[in-house]
Amino acid sequence: MCGIVGYLGDKPCIPLIYDGLTKLEYRGYDSAGIAVAQEGRVALAKSEGKLERLKSHLKDLPASATMGIGHTRWATHGAPNTINSHPHSAGDFAIVHNGIIENYLELKEELEAEGIKFYTETDSEVAMQYLRAQYNKLGSLEEAIKKSVKVFRGSYAIGILDPKQNNFLYVIKHGSPVVIGIGDNECFFASDAPAIVAHTQKAIFLNDGEFARISKDNIKVWDFDGKASAFRIAELSWSSEAADKQGYRHFMLKEMHEQPVVIQKAIARLIDVHTGDFNEAALGIDQINLEGIKNINIIGCGSAYHAGQIAKYFLEPLLGLPVTVELASEFRYRDPYIRDTTLTLAISQSGETLDTLTAVKFCLENKSQVLALCNVEYSSIVRAATSTCYMHAGPEIGVASTKAFTLQVFCLYAVGLAIAKKIGRLKDNDLKAILNDLRVFPNMIEQALAGKEAIELVAQKFYETTNFLFVGRGLHAPVASEGALKLKEISYVFAEAYAGGELKHGPIALVDKKMAVLAIVPSDFYFEKMVSNVEEIKAREGRIVVVGDNASPRLRNLSEAFIHCPQIATPALQAILTTVPLQLFAYFMALKRGTDVDQPRNLAKSVTVE
Ligand code: M6R
């Protein structure tokens, strides 16, 4: 939540910082600001609302400035208005902050007692004033940082602009991500790589408990005790084009359309579809000791959790081991039974979700090996985990997860197959049939996407409906949850998901002619049972949308709309296929309702607060 950017070099910094912020807007978008140095003072431009609104204020800044910091905000403390937006400055010093300073009230009281006045409701202004007070007392910014980080509680990434120092910017990391980009006689810092990849592929990822002083041609990193830290310069693989819309109206639309290609690439990377060999290094299982593993523990949040729920359906029979799936936000606050005989699969697109990261740390402390399934390179979960299976989806900018979700399910399946083969549980004939399906699978995702015009017409019929139930059985029960989540988050339509068999245990009481029900009815083992559920809904006058491959007269008669989805024999792959029309449905519902598809209200892509 919140994106921070800093630049120091020979070029005018304002356009570069603004451009970096556009690439981080998915982290927060309720207000934004930029600060630069001007004649030993801080010049500030801030605005509430989307980044776009900041543009008209940038003319107030000195255009020739070559050093500055910027911020795009997802409000935690204090309303999302101009005064509370970052950078926070006392005129001679400015900071941008991503995270939460939990003990800010205590610190504020202390500072107020010293006569310092506050103008905002934010914890970030307190962090700024605390750092500044230490700086004034100690006369050195590095000493002030060391002192302050001993006192700050919470998680934070803080970028500091001190106009008295023309050659340096500072950045501190504790719990929130920071990447430093090294360019040609210029240097950047940012919350995430998309903000810098247009300028450099060379990056340093700070560890928790480190701060850095960056200049045009030199980086120094220290730990919080002031001891110099060694760092590694990583080569980023993301390109700048990957973080652009490339002609699509929305990032979400572009990312849905990337699914056939990213899945095709994942197949090529992870499985040899001719020999049935698995790339154990790319799957991350070469680093995992499978001996003695007695159970699988899957953790994640939001869509990642749904991917885990789907995986439970195929992993248990594949591996012959009990699989539990839990929301990381619940897991981390209880006392779960985790031992060295547990293999944990931690799923996270960003690799920065604080709940998942904390759960990962708990598992490691309790001797469980952790295999991370992540998209963002060198992210915190990747660095904490025993080993990683990278999804390589490229940047996912739309707040609603699409390609990352389907890749999560796919990677979980590939991991499951590879382990099953390794432990001798995968029969040759079964593998052969799966490999056959994998060969045609990317093309079938294309076919599912090709149904978009028909899906748009369904959305046209239903976009004024304000209540939806999503139902499915087997793997399609969590697919229904994912479909409902997509609809909720981008179209603001209330949507709840139930396993088909659960309807009669309560939710069917909600069904009347105003209730819309989206039923996932592929031609699988549950087909007849799902058709019965649809009959029950129809009998209570619910409005029915069916997603399936079998447009039989019976189903057509029962439903007001039928969304066709191609059929594939392998259930795990079918779950991915069936997700695609649900993504499109949510997208078109949002379009018709006029909501902000890529940046829905109240949300941020990367949830780095509790
Ligand atoms: O980066 P992560 O995969 O850890 O994020 C987890 C959730 O915040 C994320 O999936 C969220 O639910 C998406 N907005 C869903 O579309």
Side-chain angles (χ1 to χ4, degrees), residues 462 465-470 494-496 498 503 507-518 537 540-545 560:
F462 281 85
T465 313
T466 50
N467 292 302
F468 252 96
L469 287 178
F470 280 59
F494 182 82
E496 203 50 279
Y498 282 95
L503 279 183
I508 202 160
L510 292 166
V511 177
D512 60 15
K513 53 171 79 124
K514 284 200 226 107
M515 177 61 80
V517 182
L518 186 146
I537 297 157
R540 285 151 186 92
E541 300 186 85
R543 300 181 63 192
I544 299 164
V545 180
E560 192 174 327

Side-chain angles (χ1 to χ4, degrees), residues 105-413:
L105 286 175
E106 229 170 85
L107 301 178
K108 192 171 184 177
E109 265 175 36
E110 200 181 296
L111 292 163
E112 277 172 337
E114 291 173 18
I116 291 170
K117 297 235 171 325
F118 288 88
Y119 301 95
T120 78
E121 304 156 77
T122 66
D123 55 332
S124 309
E125 187 191 12
V126 176
M128 183 275 292
Q129 287 290 14
Y130 196 88
L131 277 157
R132 181 172 172 262
Q134 302 314 312
Y135 189 13
N136 288 340
K137 278 181 206 159
L138 301 167
S140 145
L141 190 45
E142 280 141 38
E143 291 305 315
I145 292 171
K146 281 192 302 189
K147 176 81 199 298
S148 303
V149 293
K150 298 242 153 38
V151 175
F152 292 167
R153 284 206 310 271
S155 74
Y156 48 87
I158 296 176
I160 304 173
L161 172 73
D162 170 19
K164 293 179 287 307
Q165 304 196 42
N166 282 333
N167 303 325
F168 301 123
L169 286 174
Y170 287 80
V171 62
I172 315 172
K173 169 167 165 53
H174 181 69
S176 303
V178 174
V179 56
I180 296 171
I182 308 164
D184 200 6
N185 225 25
E186 59 185 5
C187 211
F188 299 79
F189 68 76
S191 298
D192 265 341
I196 61 169
V197 286
H199 312 286
T200 179
Q201 247 68 34
K202 287 202 191 88
I204 298 167
F205 290 85
L206 287 191
N207 294 309
D208 280 342
E210 288 181 340
F211 69 99
R213 189 185 72 192
I214 70 173
S215 65
K216 284 195 281 192
D217 49 11
N218 193 7
I219 314 279
K220 279 211 167 308
V221 181
W222 296 273
D223 68 16
F224 281 2
D225 291 323
K227 207 165 120 250
S229 293
F231 53 81
R232 193 169 79 82
I233 300 178
E235 197 66 32
L236 298 171
S237 67
W238 288 359
S239 68
S240 56
E241 303 82 61
D244 284 336
K245 281 193 206 141
Q246 291 173 347
Y248 284 95
R249 185 165 170 197
H250 294 102
F251 278 111
M252 184 183 176
L253 191 61
K254 173 194 164 220
E255 287 156 8
M256 286 189 288
H257 279 88
E258 284 173 337
Q259 292 177 110
V261 171
V262 292
I263 296 258
Q264 170 71 68
K265 285 188 178 161
I267 296 171
R269 195 174 58 247
L270 302 176
I271 309 168
D272 185 327
V273 289
H274 303 291
T275 61
D277 289 337
F278 290 88
N279 183 344
E280 293 191 2
L283 287 161
I285 59 171
D286 62 333
Q287 308 288 316
I288 302 288
N289 179 5
L290 294 169
E291 221 168 283
I293 294 299
K294 295 205 174 96
N295 68 305
I296 310 278
N297 161 47
I298 304 183
I299 45 178
C301 296
S303 292
Y305 169 68
H306 296 151
Q309 284 184 310
I310 294 170
K312 179 181 166 77
Y313 281 89
F314 54 72
L315 287 181
E316 270 188 359
L318 259 178
L319 305 181
L321 292 173
V323 176
T324 47
V325 189
E326 193 164 343
L327 290 164
S329 52
E330 285 298 310
F331 180 92
R332 63 174 287 197
Y333 290 113
R334 56 183 197 90
D335 192 8
Y337 186 87
I338 298 293
R339 298 291 180 269
D340 58 357
T341 49
T342 305
L343 171 62
T344 296
L345 305 180
I347 312 169
S348 176
Q349 186 282 131
S350 62
E352 296 296 344
T353 300
L354 187 61
D355 288 324
T356 311
L357 177 61
T358 311
V360 163
K361 289 181 179 161
F362 174 90
C363 294
L364 290 167
E365 277 156 22
N366 285 277
K367 308 273 177 286
S368 165
Q369 299 173 83
V370 176
L371 175 58
L373 290 101
C374 289
N375 190 34
V376 177
E377 294 173 320
Y378 309 102
S379 52
S380 302
I381 292 174
V382 169
R383 283 182 291 153
T386 316
S387 147
T388 298
C389 171
Y390 271 122
M391 288 144 54
H392 287 302
E396 190 180 66
I397 309 283
V399 163
S401 184
T402 52
K403 62 173 177 174
F405 171 78
T406 47
L407 263 181
Q408 281 162 356
V409 178
F410 180 74
C411 290
L412 284 161
Y413 188 48

